[in-house]
């Protein structure tokens, strides 16, 4: 009945009959609101229990848990309390290792560890032809996976050019040479440092005066001689003093009984590598050096069918010079001091002369203690001579630029073909400094497949821009004189080194043996230096060799070839404390690199490409932490 009346009222309200009054509508609205309120409160009363607490003024509803209060009254606990706690939980994840593990330091006894020239390992190899002093790298199971410490008291090297003449004793704590070579003025120990007077076995008046004597016999001033190689370099004083004449030298010597020769050279800020001519080629391309030098380097040049001098011929550019001082040159004067017989020294010199002739070299001059030969600019006459005398055949079907564990051969490396007798095999080089930006002959001739002169010029300009951008990211690189020894791990055409040519630095340009194109010859044709390297192995250098390391797409090149951690630990080994690293690569690769670099306690950051944030290629900037081995007395206490 009630529903019928309500429907009738609703119908009357919604109808549009003209006799419906305003008051009737108002009455209906009021009635509807009252009726809805009544049913709401009836439902609330039916589904809840309300406890009224007398004399308090508080009413607590267990359904809503809402408290309406009046002031100045005490609160009595409600009869029903709601539970708001969670009853469903996700179990905690199991404990895991830290996201960035700490790569531990090696024992302090490894502070001068050179993995591929380890003296203990070398003793397992033949002594014949000094094979035991060549590279012999550890297997993957033998690789140290710890950080090589600097010796206690290590200090940042003196800045160039002061470093040419002095080095901190704490950095290379070896006094053997100061005793063994005391009378030859190689190195002296004074207080907390070594002094390098510039002396040598065959230049008692000093390296500068010795170079002046060479300069009287061949032109060292016109820029035609830019790159040089010094075999058996000692502490590299010859290369050190050539730098002021704009001639850059790769000096090398084996790791032998004369402790720390190459290490001293690098500490002085002079380019050097551990190396020896034994049974494999030197790690340089053919036609690389304008000048080669041996000052009493004790290499048996005339023996083994002249194989060592034949290797010098391979790396010497057309028209280049070979300079020899020491036994047997001027033996008539020195044979007693050398404790050799005149006859044996005469035989030795005859052997060298015969090998030089078989290489078609011309002896330019022998004056007092110096003898100089010159390689021909082409092999037109040499080929005619070989047909007559047949004493040294030309190499056949052999890449003259391949030089990574490549066996030495006694055949003569042929120069590229020429048409006229006055042409230079492989192309003539501009004098320095024009040589740096001139099109390298290897590129101009098209012998480097896929690299055009236009690409070379574009690459040169590109690296000027990139080097300038790097200096905004790394204040130490931007600070003139802060760095001296630089390494470029994947040099391509040497553009990074060329962009820094006006800074007081030198760059060792590395062309990985896995690179698609062997460009190291073109780098040398620019008047720069470098070497081959497989970054799955250690470099032939001492720890703490370089102030700064640069790598362009190195880890993309090696990501499927060897362990990324091993490459980074090798970088850590050869980088000085507080030295910097700049790597450019794909962002995903750099994220992985950064995680390992953080574990080596490097301070790292990934930043944008010089073209902006939308490039996938990014740049990682890192600084190696300064830390050293504990003092010897502390080590002794911990062992006792």
């Amino acid at each position: 009945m009630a529903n019928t009346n309500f429907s009738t009222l609703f119908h009357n309200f919604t109808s549009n009959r003209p006799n419906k009054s305003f008051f009737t509508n108002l009455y209906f609205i009021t009635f509807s609101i009252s009726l809805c309120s009544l049913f709401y409160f009836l439902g609330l009363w039916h589904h809840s229990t309300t406890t009224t607490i007398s004399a308090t003024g508080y009413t607590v509803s267990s359904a809503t848990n809402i408290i309406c209060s009046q002031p100045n009254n005490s609160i009595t606990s409600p009869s029903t309390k709601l539970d708001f706690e969670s009853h469903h939980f996700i179990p905690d994840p199991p404990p895991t290792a830290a996201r960035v593990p700490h790569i531990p330091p090696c024992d302090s006894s490894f502070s001068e560890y050179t993995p591929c020239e380890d003296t203990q390992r070398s003793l397992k190899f033949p002594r014949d032809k000094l094979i035991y002093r060549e590279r012999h790298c550890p297997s993957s199971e033998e690789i140290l996976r710890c950080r090589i410490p600097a010796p206690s008291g290590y200090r940042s090297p003196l800045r160039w050019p002061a470093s040419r003449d002095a080095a901190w004793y704490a950095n290379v704590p070896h006094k053997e040479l100061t005793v063994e070579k005391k009378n030859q003025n190689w190195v002296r120990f004074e207080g907390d440092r070594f002094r390098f007077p510039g002396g040598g076995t065959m230049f008692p008046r000093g390296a500068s005066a010795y170079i002046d004597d060479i300069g009287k016999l061949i032109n060292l001033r016109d820029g035609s001689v830019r790159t040089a190689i010094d075999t058996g370099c000692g502490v590299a004083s010859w290369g050190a003093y050539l730098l002021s004449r704009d001639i850059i030298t790769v000096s090398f010597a084996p790791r032998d009984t004369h402790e720390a020769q190459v290490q001293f050279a690098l500490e002085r800020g002079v380019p050097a590598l551990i190396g020896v001519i034994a049974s494999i080629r030197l790690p340089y391309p053919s036609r690389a050096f304008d000048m080669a030098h041996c000052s009493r380097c004790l290499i048996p040049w005339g023996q083994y069918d002249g194989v060592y001098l034949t290797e010098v011929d391979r790396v010497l550019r057309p028209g280049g010079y070979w300079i020899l001082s020491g036994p047997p040159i001027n033996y008539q004067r020195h044979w007693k001091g050398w404790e050799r017989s005149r006859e044996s020294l005469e035989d030795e010199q005859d052997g060298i002369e015969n090998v030089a002739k078989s290489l078609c070299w011309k002896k330019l001059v022998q004056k007092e203690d110096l003898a100089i030969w010159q390689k021909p600019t082409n092999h037109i006459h040499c080929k005619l001579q070989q047909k007559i005398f047949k004493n040294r055949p030309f190499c056949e079907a052999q890449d003259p630029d391949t030089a990574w564990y490549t066996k030495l051969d006694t055949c003569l490396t042929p120069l590229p073909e020429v048409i006229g007798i006055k042409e230079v095999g492989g192309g003539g080089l501009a004098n320095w400094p024009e040589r740096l930006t001139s099109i390298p002959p290897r590129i101009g001739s098209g012998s480097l497949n896929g690299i055009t002169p236009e690409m070379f010029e574009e690459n040169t300009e590109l690296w000027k821009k990139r080097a300038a951008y790097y200096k905004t990211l790394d204040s130490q690189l931007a600070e003139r004189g802060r760095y001296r020894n630089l390494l470029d791990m994947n040099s391509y055409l040497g553009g990074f080194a060329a962009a820094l040519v006006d800074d007081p630095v030198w760059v060792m340009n590395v062309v990985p043996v896995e690179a698609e194109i062997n460009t190291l010859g073109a780098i040398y044709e620019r008047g720069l230096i470098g070497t081959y390297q497989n970054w799955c192995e250690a470099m032939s250098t001492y720890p703490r060799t370089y102030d700064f390391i640069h790598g362009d797409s190195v880890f993309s090149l090696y990501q499927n070839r060897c362990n990324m951690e091993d490459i980074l630990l090798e970088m850590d080994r050869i980088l000085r404390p507080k030295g910097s690293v700049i790597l450019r690569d794909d962002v995903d690769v750099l994220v992985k690199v950064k995680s390992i670099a953080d574990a080596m306690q490097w301070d790292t950051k990934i930043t944008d490409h010089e073209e902006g944030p939308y490039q996938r290629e990014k740049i990682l900037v890192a600084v190696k932490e300064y830390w050293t081995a504990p003092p010897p007395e502390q080590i002794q206490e911990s062992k006792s």
Side-chain angles (χ1 to χ4, degrees):
M1 184 69 178
N3 289 339
T4 304
N5 292 336
F6 179 77
S7 300
T8 303
L9 288 171
F10 182 80
H11 175 72
N12 292 336
F13 174 74
T14 57
S15 68
N16 294 322
R17 287 182 301 172
N19 59 352
K20 189 71 174 174
S21 67
F22 168 77
F23 293 102
T24 302
N25 293 338
L26 180 62
Y27 170 78
F28 177 78
I29 293 171
T30 304
F31 176 77
S32 298
I33 293 173
S34 299
L35 189 63
C36 289
S37 300
L38 175 63
F39 283 112
Y40 171 76
F41 284 110
L42 285 173
L44 186 65
W45 173 80
H46 180 72
H47 292 288
S48 63
T49 302
T50 303
T51 303
T52 302
I53 307 173
S54 60
T56 63
Y58 290 88
T59 302
V60 181
S61 171
S62 60
T64 60
N65 204 25
I66 298 173
I67 301 177
C68 300
S69 64
Q70 298 292 334
N72 302 320
N73 291 312
S74 61
I75 300 176
T76 303
S77 300
S79 59
T80 304
K81 183 177 180 181
L82 297 182
D83 181 7
F84 291 98
E85 296 296 326
S86 299
H87 293 277
H88 301 281
F89 301 97
I90 298 175
D92 291 334
T96 59
R99 292 177 62 87
V100 181
H102 173 70
I103 298 178
C106 302
D107 186 81
S108 59
S109 61
F110 289 98
S111 66
E112 293 180 359
Y113 182 56
T114 55
C116 296
E117 283 81 17
D118 181 63
T119 52
Q120 295 301 315
R121 185 180 300 106
S122 68
L123 296 176
K124 303 174 184 177
F125 294 88
R127 291 181 172 266
D128 182 47
K129 295 183 180 180
L130 300 181
I131 290 174
Y132 75 106
R133 288 182 178 169
E134 291 180 326
R135 285 176 59 87
H136 302 293
C137 297
S139 64
S140 59
E141 295 78 16
E142 296 176 295
I143 293 175
L144 286 180
R145 290 184 171 87
C146 52
R147 296 176 292 142
I148 301 297
S152 177
Y154 179 89
R155 302 171 65 177
S156 295
L158 299 168
R159 295 195 176 191
W160 184 266
S163 65
R164 185 192 70 176
D165 302 321
W168 302 116
Y169 167 75
N171 293 10
V172 193
H174 296 288
K175 297 182 182 179
E176 293 88 342
L177 281 178
T178 64
V179 177
E180 190 169 344
K181 301 293 181 180
K182 180 178 180 180
N183 297 328
Q184 297 170 14
N185 221 19
W186 280 24
V187 57
R188 298 173 181 170
F189 176 65
E190 297 178 1
D192 59 355
R193 67 191 68 189
F194 292 107
R195 296 284 183 184
F196 303 95
T201 307
M202 295 309 301
F203 30 94
R205 294 182 296 119
S208 187
Y210 175 79
I211 293 169
D212 287 340
D213 290 340
I214 295 174
K216 295 172 184 176
L217 305 176
I218 58 176
N219 195 336
L220 299 179
R221 295 185 178 88
D222 65 353
S224 60
V225 176
R226 163 63 182 172
T227 56
I229 184 169
D230 190 12
T231 57
C233 65
V235 295
S237 289
W238 189 70
Y241 282 85
L242 279 172
L243 286 166
S244 62
R245 294 161 171 85
D246 272 340
I247 298 173
I248 187 165
T249 306
V250 176
S251 300
F252 72 88
R255 180 167 187 171
D256 59 5
T257 55
H258 295 168
E259 284 285 350
Q261 293 180 90
V262 169
Q263 193 174 16
F264 274 129
L266 292 162
E267 200 67 23
R268 298 174 71 182
V270 179
L273 289 166
I274 300 173
V276 64
I277 303 182
S279 67
I280 59 176
R281 285 180 173 181
L282 297 172
Y284 317 112
S286 65
R287 311 194 315 272
F289 299 100
D290 301 312
M291 180 167 60
H293 174 254
C294 164
S295 174
R296 200 171 187 179
C297 59
L298 304 179
I299 296 173
W301 298 113
Q303 297 180 27
Y304 309 111
D305 199 19
V307 66
Y308 302 137
L309 211 52
T310 305
E311 175 63 359
V312 172
D313 177 84
R314 183 185 71 85
V315 301
L316 204 58
R317 75 164 173 84
Y321 304 101
W322 183 58
I323 301 168
L324 177 64
S325 65
I329 304 303
N330 202 9
Y331 68 86
Q332 298 89 343
R333 177 182 176 183
H334 297 294
W335 65 276
K336 289 184 178 179
W338 291 337
E339 299 180 348
R340 298 266 304 275
S341 69
R342 292 173 62 99
E343 292 75 19
S344 67
L345 288 164
E346 184 177 10
D347 289 343
E348 183 178 345
Q349 178 146 359
D350 289 343
I352 292 173
E353 301 280 7
N354 290 334
V355 174
K357 287 179 182 178
S358 73
L359 298 171
C360 302
W361 290 4
K362 176 184 177 182
K363 190 172 186 179
L364 289 181
V365 63
Q366 179 171 324
K367 184 177 181 181
E368 296 179 350
D369 295 343
L370 284 168
I372 302 177
W373 285 262
Q374 187 175 24
K375 179 177 177 176
T377 55
N378 59 65
H379 277 159
I380 290 180
H381 286 318
C382 190
K383 288 181 177 179
L384 294 173
Q385 177 182 321
Q386 296 297 3
K387 287 181 180 180
I388 297 172
F389 297 103
K390 298 182 180 180
N391 55 355
R392 190 173 299 275
F394 283 96
C395 300
E396 297 179 2
Q398 189 182 62
D399 184 353
D401 288 350
T402 300
W404 188 251
Y405 296 120
T406 306
K407 289 295 183 181
L408 290 180
D409 205 332
T410 57
C411 59
L412 178 57
T413 302
L415 290 173
E417 295 288 344
V418 296
I419 298 175
I421 192 66
K422 293 186 178 180
E423 279 191 65
V424 177
L429 299 177
N431 290 350
W432 182 263
E434 291 78 14
R435 188 183 298 188
L436 181 69
T437 52
S438 298
I439 304 297
R442 280 174 166 86
I443 295 177
S445 65
S447 61
L448 292 183
N449 293 330
I451 302 178
T452 64
E454 293 75 20
M455 292 171 63
F456 169 79
E457 291 173 345
E458 291 172 2
N459 185 265
T460 299
E461 293 304 313
L462 174 66
W463 279 103
K464 288 180 182 178
K465 178 180 178 180
R466 287 180 169 179
Y469 181 61
Y470 286 168
K471 290 181 179 181
T472 68
L473 302 177
D474 185 352
S475 60
Q476 295 189 114
L477 181 64
E479 183 183 345
R480 188 175 178 84
R482 171 66 179 86
Y483 289 152
R484 174 64 183 167
N485 304 357
L486 276 61
L487 174 70
D488 192 359
M489 296 176 70
N490 189 13
S491 298
Y492 189 45
L493 297 175
F496 173 71
L500 299 177
V501 72
D502 293 326
D503 291 356
V505 302
W506 60 268
V507 180
M508 184 64 75
N509 293 284
V510 171
V511 172
V513 295
E514 295 80 9
E516 184 178 349
I517 304 174
N518 183 355
T519 55
L520 192 55
I523 289 173
Y524 271 96
E525 288 176 341
R526 302 188 70 176
L528 305 172
I529 60 170
T531 184
Y532 295 116
Q533 176 66 35
N534 176 354
W535 288 114
C536 292
E537 298 179 3
M539 195 175 182
S540 290
T541 192
Y542 282 88
R544 302 170 298 283
T545 289
Y546 292 99
D547 304 299
F548 176 92
I549 298 176
H550 174 253
D552 181 6
S553 304
V554 173
F555 289 94
S556 288
L557 179 64
Y558 281 94
Q559 62 181 344
N560 296 320
R561 290 184 166 96
C562 53
N563 192 330
M564 183 182 289
E565 180 181 307
D566 292 341
I567 298 177
L568 282 162
L569 280 171
E570 173 62 6
M571 293 169 63
D572 184 82
R573 184 185 75 87
I574 64 180
L575 185 65
R576 296 188 190 278
K578 300 301 292 183
S580 295
V581 173
I582 290 183
L583 300 173
R584 59 189 309 122
D585 217 315
D586 183 85
V587 61
D588 292 340
V589 174
L590 287 187
V591 168
K592 296 177 183 177
V593 170
K594 186 180 187 303
S595 67
I596 301 172
D598 290 342
M600 297 192 305
Q601 312 304 301
W602 288 6
D603 183 14
T604 65
K605 66 177 179 179
I606 295 177
T607 188
D608 288 331
H609 188 276
E610 63 271 2
E611 297 294 339
Y614 300 110
Q615 303 289 327
R616 273 202 64 84
E617 186 176 72
K618 302 296 181 183
I619 297 171
L620 182 143
V621 182
V623 178
K624 179 179 175 179
E625 182 185 40
Y626 180 88
W627 66 283
T628 69
E633 57 272 15
Q634 184 175 333
I635 298 174
Q636 189 63 35
E637 288 176 5
S638 64
K639 291 181 178 179
S640 59

